[in-house]
Amino acid sequence: MSALADFERVDSGSGGAVLRFTGNLSLASLGDLPDRLDAVEGDVSRIDLSQVERIDTVGAWVVHRFARDKEAPVEGLQPASQHLFDQVVAAEHPIELPRKPASPFVHLLSEVGDAVLTAFHTLYGLLGFFGATLIAFWNVARHPSRFRFNATVHRFEVVGVSALGIIGLMSFLIGIVIAQQGAVQLRQFGAEVYTINLLGRITLRELGILMTAIMVAGRSGSAFAAQIGTMKLTEEIDAMRTIGVSPMEALVVPRVLAVVMMLPLLGFYSALIGIIGGGLLCWVQLDIPPVTFVQRIREVVPLTDLWVGLVKAPVFGAIIAIAGCFQGMQVEADAEQVGRRTTIAVVQAIFLVIVLDAFFAVFFTQVGWI
Amino acid sequence: MTAPTLSHDDDVVICVRGLKNGFGEQIVHEDLDLDVRRGEILGVVGGSGTGKSVLMRSIIGLQTPIEGEIEVFGENTIGRDETEATEIRKRWGILFQGGALFSTLTVSENVQVPLKEYYPKLDQALLEEIAAYKVVMTGLPPEAAPKFPAELSGGMKKRAGLARALALDPELLFLDEPTAGLDPIGAAAFDELTASLQKTLGLTVFLITHDLDTLYAICDRVAVLADRKVIAVGTIPELLALDHPWIQEYFNGPRGRAAVSSVKANAGHATEDRG
């Protein structure tokens, strides 16, 4: 039934060559016809379609393209097919083929340039968002009735209480690892007992809060970006604005406040569990009884270590929450962006937390909290 | 061996017999029969929740019915293996309600997806050209081709969806509420487009709609879904002669009458123009 599309060359004597098409000029039975047409050489004076059984728009296009290039008239179509052919011809317009990729070097340069520009753009936007958040806090402080107490408490639970399990488990294991690795190395100098110094100081000063920040960025920062991003897509944010509810006050303030309040608590909790984990290992492997362990901790860990950890925590919390909310607010257009922005929120939060941690380390050393 | 066909009439493109569909306890269709003839525009109407979209989804194989038989182009579509199903899929195009364009691809790439899937040998330049004229044929400006769906308005998305549905030059076109959410001018233009493409390409169109103007303007026949089945199929005058309360209310309600008068007014203009 569906004869493959084909053509033959007929020399009609006076007027040069005639190209006569046969079979089904439709997409399904086109085969390699386009390629074979490209290979036709020499002048063609006429294109005869009277032997064609069926023609569809793709077939019409292929013939039209050939006829246009050879400047040959097309003849012999049934009226209905002629109508279709005319419609296809009428729909022709110049197209821009996708640009050829530039040379790898130029491509690399432009990629780097793009990345730098994007980085500055993001930093600029993040600063702006930070300012907007501060203004929102100020507004809420001036009109305390606009503070969303229930929403904030709910965030406390989601960000803080629900994270206790996973953060506890993680810190416990990290405490064990640090104590074990420390003990192995320090044993070479017969200084195993200093494992306690190592463990106590590093968990309180750095690791407790840093690991917690990373975990919260992964758990809550991403959730903020996805929630707010989806709300942006479904026009909930716009609806809020038109009703007169400020999204900054209703969505961002409770979230930022929750993370800022919860991170010091979670960080302290994490350090404590880490020390317990390490203490357990000291007891089992190094035969240091818990009472001695606690005494040693009290002797070797200065109180400033605790302060170092606790001062950093709210700052990290603010970064995580603001990065999450900011990226959520940047979502536009389509669902793919929600995923991308969520990823960016987490990466950005963790990166900024670590950069700031380095600054803090230098700062605290300078002020003498060694 | 070929399975016995339900309808021996070659002019029937879609043939549904004894269809039963349901979700859990809730039965949507029961004992539903429907024929769609070659070359017609069949409008499918019914109240919300009468299963218009479910009927379309069963015909195109997205929903497996509990009972019943469905034939498209004389081939049973239920329980087919993938290769056989693919052969039928090549011959139809579907416009989903929201356009269902792939959001990560441009309009032009969207149109090329079915072409690349079924005819991987076509070269890229030809694909681009095919996509370009399809886009223009569906009434989009050529500048729309390299745009992403998110950059298009609702009406343009529908047209882009139609361009993708027509990518393979199908014989059968399913339209799910094509004019929903369009302004009246856009809706009328879309109706005109559907009718002219149907005429040019010789399509059979299965058209789900709520739009009375569409029904009057372009549908050859209308199928009414109610009480879990197709209660009547026919031209609008034939349906009006029936004594079913829903049909009467549907076509003779305030909106129905408005649509009739506008069609009559248009017809009057048309004859004046000719005169």
Side-chain angles (χ1 to χ4, degrees):
Chain A
M1 156 211 158
S2 65
L4 275 179
D6 202 356
F7 64 87
E8 55 182 352
R9 215 184 158 102
V10 188
D11 284 312
S12 65
S14 58
V18 174
L19 221 56
R20 181 175 295 149
F21 286 82
T22 53
N24 255 333
L25 270 181
S26 63
L27 181 58
S29 43
L30 218 48
D32 57 350
L33 188 84
D35 297 331
R36 274 162 48 212
L37 274 180
D38 283 342
V40 170
E41 286 173 5
D43 279 345
V44 174
S45 66
R46 231 154 34 84
I47 291 169
D48 183 5
L49 295 185
S50 56
Q51 307 290 317
V52 170
E53 290 163 26
R54 210 183 134 244
I55 188 164
D56 70 0
T57 67
V58 175
W61 176 260
V62 170
V63 172
H64 164 66
R65 189 171 70 152
F66 178 74
R68 182 192 60 196
D69 295 344
K70 295 283 182 193
E71 294 177 357
V74 178
E75 295 168 357
L77 274 173
Q78 301 293 316
S81 307
Q82 185 65 45
H83 179 61
L84 179 138
F85 193 87
D86 293 342
Q87 292 285 318
V88 171
V89 173
E92 184 188 4
H93 64 91
I95 53 161
E96 290 173 34
L97 283 177
R99 279 190 297 139
K100 284 205 178 109
S103 76
F105 179 66
V106 175
H107 183 69
L108 182 73
L109 271 187
S110 78
E111 290 276 289
V112 171
D114 270 351
V116 171
L117 274 183
T118 315
F120 275 113
H121 229 79
T122 311
L123 205 63
Y124 180 75
L126 208 55
L127 269 180
F129 194 80
F130 179 60
T133 310
L134 288 185
I135 292 172
F137 267 100
W138 173 244
N139 286 338
V140 170
R142 277 199 327 186
H143 308 281
S145 63
R146 297 216 310 244
F147 179 64
R148 275 146 222 278
F149 187 74
N150 284 343
T152 312
V153 173
H154 176 65
R155 290 292 144 206
F156 281 172
E157 190 190 331
V158 175
V159 174
V161 182
S162 313
L164 285 177
I166 184 69
I167 289 180
L169 182 65
M170 175 190 71
S171 309
F172 187 76
L173 294 176
I174 285 185
I176 290 178
V177 170
I178 289 175
Q180 197 261 337
Q181 292 296 314
V184 169
Q185 295 302 319
L186 290 169
R187 183 175 290 151
Q188 297 174 17
F189 311 102
E192 284 155 308
V193 76
Y194 285 102
T195 304
I196 300 170
N197 300 39
L198 175 73
L199 182 73
R201 300 206 63 180
I202 203 168
T203 43
L204 272 172
R205 261 184 103 96
E206 291 292 341
L207 272 186
I209 192 62
L210 204 58
M211 297 309 290
T212 308
I214 290 173
M215 189 54 93
V216 170
R219 270 188 94 250
S220 303
S222 61
F224 294 172
Q227 285 161 358
I228 295 180
T230 311
M231 291 177 82
K232 194 101 195 276
L233 276 191
T234 52
E235 297 179 316
E236 279 178 65
I237 308 266
D238 295 336
M240 279 183 165
R241 285 212 178 94
T242 55
I243 295 169
V245 177
S246 153
M248 291 302 287
E249 287 174 22
L251 299 175
V252 178
V253 167
R255 284 175 168 78
V256 173
L257 195 66
V259 184
V260 167
M261 303 269 281
M262 283 299 119
L263 210 61
L265 300 180
L266 285 174
F268 180 68
Y269 160 80
S270 159
L272 219 59
I273 301 280
I275 289 175
I276 291 175
L280 210 65
L281 187 110
C282 288
W283 190 15
V284 172
Q285 247 193 7
L286 308 178
D287 290 328
I288 302 172
V291 182
T292 324
F293 179 79
V294 172
Q295 248 172 9
R296 276 292 289 174
I297 287 275
R298 291 183 60 184
E299 283 166 24
V300 301
V301 179
L303 194 60
T304 50
D305 278 6
L306 176 68
W307 294 133
V308 167
L310 290 186
V311 165
K312 290 193 287 192
V315 181
F316 291 175
I319 288 176
I320 292 167
I322 288 176
C325 295
F326 169 69
Q327 292 297 343
M329 286 288 189
Q330 299 302 302
V331 169
E332 264 163 20
D334 57 31
E336 197 204 353
Q337 285 227 350
V338 177
R340 224 184 62 219
R341 292 285 173 187
T342 307
T343 316
I344 297 178
V346 176
V347 173
Q348 215 166 50
I350 294 176
F351 173 74
L352 287 175
V353 160
I354 290 176
V355 169
L356 248 108
D357 193 47
F359 279 110
F360 271 122
V362 176
F363 173 76
F364 287 128
T365 313
Q366 289 297 317
V367 297
W369 285 9
I370 307 166
Chain B
M1 194 193 98
T2 49
T5 49
L6 297 173
S7 162
H8 294 283
D9 192 347
D10 272 351
D11 276 349
V12 172
V13 176
I14 302 174
C15 180
V16 182
R17 288 290 176 270
L19 183 71
K20 182 176 179 185
N21 264 317
F23 302 97
E25 293 285 290
Q26 190 199 354
I27 302 295
V28 183
H29 299 137
E30 200 161 21
D31 219 6
L32 183 149
D33 295 346
L34 179 68
D35 283 336
V36 182
R37 298 182 195 145
R38 188 176 299 278
E40 75 173 344
I41 300 186
L42 179 82
V44 177
V45 299
S48 296
T50 49
K52 300 184 292 292
S53 293
V54 177
L55 174 60
M56 182 180 107
R57 291 171 64 86
S58 337
I59 296 173
I60 58 184
L62 291 177
Q63 159 111 24
T64 311
I66 302 171
E67 278 172 24
E69 288 183 66
I70 298 172
E71 280 182 4
V72 182
F73 305 119
E75 313 250 1
N76 193 358
T77 59
I78 300 169
R80 292 239 142 185
D81 66 47
E82 268 303 298
T83 27
E84 289 173 319
T86 303
E87 283 309 308
I88 300 181
R89 278 188 208 133
K90 277 186 193 175
R91 296 169 68 184
W92 71 41
I94 295 142
L95 170 63
F96 288 97
Q97 228 179 81
L101 295 166
F102 304 120
S103 58
T104 53
L105 303 178
T106 65
V107 171
S108 167
E109 285 164 344
N110 261 288
V111 177
Q112 291 172 38
V113 168
L115 288 164
K116 281 184 181 163
E117 183 63 32
Y118 291 124
Y119 302 101
K121 282 183 192 153
L122 294 178
D123 72 72
Q124 188 59 35
L126 184 62
L127 282 173
E128 296 278 347
E129 286 171 4
I130 293 176
Y133 82 73
K134 299 258 177 196
V135 164
V136 175
M137 270 183 117
T138 49
L140 284 170
E143 303 85 72
K147 283 189 180 161
F148 285 94
E151 300 170 83
L152 302 179
S153 70
M156 288 167 91
K157 270 184 208 163
K158 294 245 159 126
R159 284 169 189 269
L162 185 61
R164 190 181 68 188
L166 293 174
L168 296 174
D169 270 289
E171 298 159 49
L172 175 59
L173 186 63
F174 292 90
L175 305 175
D176 191 357
E177 305 216 11
T179 54
L182 298 188
D183 66 276
I185 301 173
F190 202 95
D191 285 347
E192 223 165 84
L193 174 70
T194 311
S196 94
L197 286 173
Q198 189 264 340
K199 213 173 287 165
T200 309
L201 307 175
L203 296 169
T204 307
V205 183
F206 180 97
L207 184 146
I208 295 176
T209 190
H210 272 307
D211 193 334
L212 283 154
D213 294 313
T214 307
L215 290 179
Y216 278 104
I218 63 171
C219 290
D220 298 313
R221 291 196 307 156
V222 176
V224 182
L225 270 178
D227 310 330
R228 298 175 181 172
K229 55 186 73 167
V230 176
I231 53 169
V233 193
T235 60
I236 294 175
E238 283 169 18
L239 292 180
L240 281 171
L242 295 174
D243 192 28
H244 191 278
W246 193 86
I247 298 178
Q248 288 299 328
E249 202 179 334
Y250 188 81
F251 288 103
N252 280 331
R255 281 161 170 263
R257 286 200 301 273
V260 175
S261 58
S262 76
V263 167
K264 278 181 182 156
N266 280 339
H269 281 300
T271 40
E272 276 164 36
D273 289 346
R274 265 179 232 131

